[in-house]
Amino acid sequence: VQLQASGGGLVEAGGSLRLSCAASGRPSSRYATAWFRQTPGEEREFVAVIRATGSTTYYANSVRGRFTVSRDNAENTVYLQMNSLKPEDTALYYCATGSNPITSAVRSASMYPYWGQGTQVTVSS
């Protein structure tokens, strides 16, 4: 599976962005797809994940209520709608897929063997 993340950019605090993660190769619809983010010098941080069928989602506490993850399996694409953005949301955002972790493991980056290249989100104050 190859992943291509896009949609990042520069936005003012309070604004919105929608990230896309397009998959090619093996259909990503077989797997959960997660979003992580990373800032320089920090570990990769879980943001959100959506199950293969799209029926279940999980979010980090820091983004719950502001971010929404969704998927279009016909298009092999997963989205991350980010609203009410804050400067602390500034990071390089990655999508990842390739497994169906149990609930207690969905937030672990090590569960996902396939990663996109990352898209930069910068939120100005």
Side-chain angles (χ1 to χ4, degrees):
V1 179
Q2 292 79 45
L3 301 177
Q4 178 73 39
S6 61
L10 174 63
V11 64
E12 292 185 350
S16 299
L17 284 173
R18 189 176 81 154
L19 306 185
S20 298
C21 176
S24 59
R26 189 177 301 173
S28 66
S29 58
R30 297 182 181 184
Y31 309 117
T33 298
W35 289 94
F36 290 80
R37 64 188 182 186
Q38 191 170 25
T39 54
E42 299 293 328
E43 291 189 359
R44 205 161 287 189
E45 176 191 21
F46 169 78
V47 175
V49 64
I50 186 167
R51 291 289 188 192
T53 61
S55 59
T56 305
T57 56
Y58 301 95
Y59 297 93
N61 289 338
S62 58
V63 308
R64 187 176 291 112
R66 301 187 297 121
F67 290 12
T68 302
V69 60
S70 61
R71 67 190 306 154
D72 183 340
N73 284 341
E75 296 294 327
N76 243 6
T77 302
V78 172
Y79 303 98
L80 184 67
Q81 178 66 43
M82 306 186 296
N83 298 330
S84 302
L85 282 161
K86 303 175 181 180
E88 51 263 44
D89 294 318
T90 295
L92 189 60
Y93 282 71
Y94 297 90
C95 56
T97 194
S99 69
N100 291 297
I102 59 175
T103 301
S104 60
V106 295
R107 293 169 175 81
S108 174
S110 64
M111 291 291 104
Y112 304 97
Y114 305 114
W115 289 76
Q117 84 290 357
T119 184
Q120 178 68 38
V121 172
T122 303
V123 184
S124 63
S125 57

